[in-house]
Amino acid sequence: TIYGRAREARDLLGLLVGARIVLLNSPSGAGKTSLIQAALIPRLEQRRFAVRPTIRVGAPAPLPGANRYLLSVMQSLEDARPAAEQLAPQELAGLTLEAYLAQRAGADAANGQVLIFDQFEEVLSLDPTDEPARLAFFTQLGDALANPWIWALFAIREEYVAALEPYIGLVPTRLANTFRLDLLGVEAARDAICGPARTRGVAFDAAAAEALAGNLAKIVVQDAGGRPVERAGISVEPVQLQVVCYRLWERRFPAAAAVAGQAISAEDVRAIGSIDDALGEYYESGVQKAAAAAGQAGERSVRAWIDTELITRQGFRSQVLQGNEAAFGLSEATVAGLTDAYLVREERRRGVTWLELAHDRLIAPVRASNRRWFAANLSPLQRQAEVWAAQGQLASLLFRDAELAAAEAWAAANADGLTADERLFLDSCRAERARAEERARAARRIRNLAVGASIAAVLAVLAALTAVGFYGQAEARRAEADQQRGIAVANAQLARAQQATAESSARVSRTRELAAAARTQIEIDPERSLLLALRAANT
């Protein structure tokens, strides 16, 4: 029985039976799979339909060149058959979908067989570039559904509905018959809260159920000033409801406690706190139980496996093959414990088991819980190594100086407990330290060379200044010598001038003497005087 969805189960059944091909869409977490498994399939079987195993189209193709979507559909259907009767992948790849369904119809299909495709958005999201394979898949799907004795339900997240537009012409009815499953309404949530308790003889206080449903429906919006405020919403995510009610039941009625005739009160509801707190507690309890045998190291491995393998770095769920957990030191029993706690979900395809986180709504509480646990239980080295690995091994996150010295001391005392990432982180820190030391040595060499060059430059300047001084002195002495030479030349010239003046004065005096003598002689002997005058002129 699925509580709170009676109307939706009835309406979906009526639409599918009458329309034959239906597209079921809803927001993520509305509970499509729960509605199909708990309400639709039992009702279809009551009407004597042959309901085939739930189909997924996203399994990796084991054969190179095979159409992964078609092969995944056939493998999903083959998994329900005994291993000895299953067809090999090579045989399946050689069949069309129409031929396969005809070959595997069986006697139970006399009243019609129903194909249920869950998470059908995988055909659109797994490889957006694989257009030829998608066209081939929808072409064969349309050929198979042309058979009026085959019913089909496609469950898809609502944001992918528009992306089906290029392919709907290949499918009978063009997927015109749609059914939208809304999130669980508050009134239906109250029914889902009280109904399961009532079947166990427990009275769920009406006010308590009202308060819990209202709490689950709360949403956060921005007010006029841009501040976040809580408002009453109109719907509840079924997975939140299931987990919170499970946690409430577990706290209110421990193992082996009698429940019939008891009640759940408003105080019990208040005690579970916020939704994320309840989900976080639920996760922590499941991890502790699954890892109880291995102690703290085992819990760390479980949390690390979930955090790195089941949740992508971008914050989405990821599927991994069963056995992947062995690389983290986890056993099959540990994974079974997580599955029993509904934290991990198994999905079998073609004899292979895939593991994934039970629901998207667990991602945020799981990560918050892991952060708190790692901060409380891991050394600075271990915490920093996780951050360093998660953020792409940035050099800026490496330890240096005192932090590195402390990390090395801790690692030396706990060498056996180091993971591969922690060893790589420590080695990277040491390598960076060695590079830093080499850079420091190179810087010292450069500084020493610079100091030497500076000293040489100073000496060169001093030498230049000294040379300039000496040159100036030499120039001064040369100028002084030139001056002395100039004075000597001037003195010589002056002496010569004085000598010439003296000689000239002597000649003048002689001439005067001769003139005087001539005047006297003329007066005595004019003829002889003329002769003497001519001789004097010649001299």
Side-chain angles (χ1 to χ4, degrees), residues 209-503:
E210 182 79 24
L212 179 56
N215 189 315
L216 288 166
K218 284 182 179 178
I219 59 174
V220 177
V221 298
Q222 285 186 332
D223 63 11
R227 295 179 295 272
V229 294
E230 279 191 340
R231 293 282 187 267
I234 60 174
S235 60
V236 175
E237 290 194 15
V239 67
Q240 297 180 38
L241 179 66
Q242 293 167 8
V243 170
V244 172
C245 287
Y246 176 85
R247 190 68 179 140
L248 173 61
W249 187 274
E250 188 181 55
R251 176 174 291 182
R252 179 65 179 82
F253 303 111
V259 299
Q262 299 194 48
I264 295 176
S265 67
E267 183 60 32
D268 296 323
V269 173
R270 284 192 293 271
I272 67 172
S274 72
I275 301 303
D276 276 2
D277 287 345
L279 293 172
E281 287 182 9
Y282 168 72
Y283 167 69
E284 290 163 6
S285 175
V287 168
Q288 289 167 4
K289 290 177 182 177
Q296 179 173 305
E299 184 169 350
R300 181 193 176 187
S301 297
V302 172
R303 288 176 179 272
W305 177 66
I306 291 174
D307 208 59
T308 60
E309 298 297 302
L310 301 190
I311 303 175
T312 68
R313 186 178 299 177
Q314 294 76 21
F316 299 99
R317 283 189 298 165
S318 176
Q319 284 191 334
V320 297
L321 278 171
Q322 188 177 53
N324 162 278
E325 68 279 1
F328 288 75
L330 306 184
S331 64
E332 292 183 5
T334 303
V335 175
L338 295 172
T339 304
D340 292 342
Y342 301 101
L343 292 173
V344 172
R345 185 170 70 90
E346 294 182 348
E347 182 179 334
R348 290 185 59 82
R349 298 200 297 267
R350 191 61 180 178
V352 176
T353 301
W354 295 81
L355 304 172
E356 65 180 350
L357 201 63
H359 197 275
D360 290 338
R361 185 59 181 82
L362 289 171
I363 292 173
V366 163
R367 283 188 155 179
S369 174
N370 285 343
R371 283 194 298 270
R372 290 192 299 269
W373 192 92
F374 291 146
N377 294 278
L378 300 185
S379 71
L381 166 63
Q382 292 171 311
R383 294 198 300 272
Q384 191 70 3
E386 287 195 356
V387 174
W388 176 75
Q391 296 192 15
Q393 302 182 351
L394 297 175
S396 60
L397 296 174
L398 295 173
F399 277 166
R400 293 169 176 82
D401 304 327
E403 287 181 323
L404 178 54
E408 287 181 315
W410 185 91
N414 300 273
D416 293 339
L418 293 177
T419 65
D421 277 348
E422 290 160 2
R423 294 181 188 279
L424 179 59
F425 173 75
L426 196 56
D427 289 342
S428 298
C429 291
R430 288 167 173 160
E432 179 60 25
R433 179 175 60 190
R435 287 191 292 270
E437 290 173 349
E438 178 57 33
R439 288 194 296 268
R441 285 193 293 270
R444 284 195 296 272
R445 287 194 296 269
I446 292 171
R447 283 198 300 271
N448 291 339
L449 290 173
V451 170
S454 298
I455 293 173
V458 170
L459 293 175
V461 169
L462 291 174
L465 291 175
T466 302
V468 169
F470 289 155
Y471 177 78
Q473 293 175 0
E475 284 293 310
R477 286 194 293 270
R478 187 177 66 182
E480 184 179 359
D482 288 344
Q483 184 179 12
Q484 293 298 325
R485 283 194 298 272
I487 292 172
V489 170
N491 289 335
Q493 290 175 345
L494 179 60
R496 286 194 296 272
Q498 289 174 345
Q499 183 180 1
T501 301
E503 290 176 354

Side-chain angles (χ1 to χ4, degrees), residues 4 125 462 511 513:
S125 62
L462 291 174
T511 301
E513 291 175 356

Side-chain angles (χ1 to χ4, degrees), residues 51-85:
V51 181
R52 300 308 180 197
T54 302
I55 296 168
R56 291 282 294 273
V57 298
L63 298 176
N67 187 302
R68 65 180 302 177
Y69 310 115
L70 291 168
L71 195 55
S72 182
V73 170
M74 292 185 245
Q75 286 179 329
S76 295
L77 297 172
E78 281 291 289
D79 284 341
R81 307 182 70 85
E85 298 179 10

Side-chain angles (χ1 to χ4, degrees), residues 172-241:
T173 75
R174 297 178 57 87
L175 298 178
N177 302 296
T178 64
F179 187 93
R180 187 179 189 278
L181 181 67
D182 285 321
L183 292 172
L184 197 64
V186 175
E187 184 177 350
R190 289 197 298 268
D191 184 30
I193 290 169
C194 297
R198 191 165 50 245
T199 62
R200 299 290 301 276
V202 174
F204 206 117
D205 182 81
E210 182 79 24
L212 179 56
N215 189 315
L216 288 166
K218 284 182 179 178
I219 59 174
V220 177
V221 298
Q222 285 186 332
D223 63 11
R227 295 179 295 272
V229 294
E230 279 191 340
R231 293 282 187 267
I234 60 174
S235 60
V236 175
E237 290 194 15
V239 67
Q240 297 180 38
L241 179 66

